[in-house]
Amino acid sequence: MKHINPYHKATEHEQMLAHLHMLVNKEYLAIPKEFDKLIISLLTAYAKEYSLDEEQSSYSDSLDALRTSV
């Protein structure tokens, strides 16, 4: 079994958020309406210089899960 290294949120979160931002802006990402919490998290996401402010964003755990998967 191959070992997969987990990402390090402290050093890679900005790059992952920037990548997700690009995917959303270029409309490469389609999210089914059943994922309402994820859609709300994207609509309410607040970031400054690609650093997500989790206190001002709703359902930030959903957004974290998405940005680690893309």
Side-chain angles (χ1 to χ4, degrees), residues 28-43:
Y28 292 156
L29 184 65
I31 302 171
K33 64 182 176 182
E34 293 82 16
F35 293 93
D36 56 333
K37 289 182 181 178
L38 178 57
I39 294 168
I40 291 169
S41 73
L42 289 167
L43 292 172

Side-chain angles (χ1 to χ4, degrees), residues 17 20-21 24-25 29 31-33 35-47 52-54 56-64 66:
L17 191 58
L20 177 58
H21 183 261
V24 170
N25 279 343
L29 184 65
I31 302 171
K33 64 182 176 182
F35 293 93
D36 56 333
K37 289 182 181 178
L38 178 57
I39 294 168
I40 291 169
S41 73
L42 289 167
L43 292 172
T44 63
Y46 179 79
L52 182 65
D53 185 343
E54 294 183 1
Q56 291 189 20
S57 304
S58 297
Y59 303 111
S60 60
D61 290 341
S62 296
L63 185 55
D64 279 341
L66 177 61

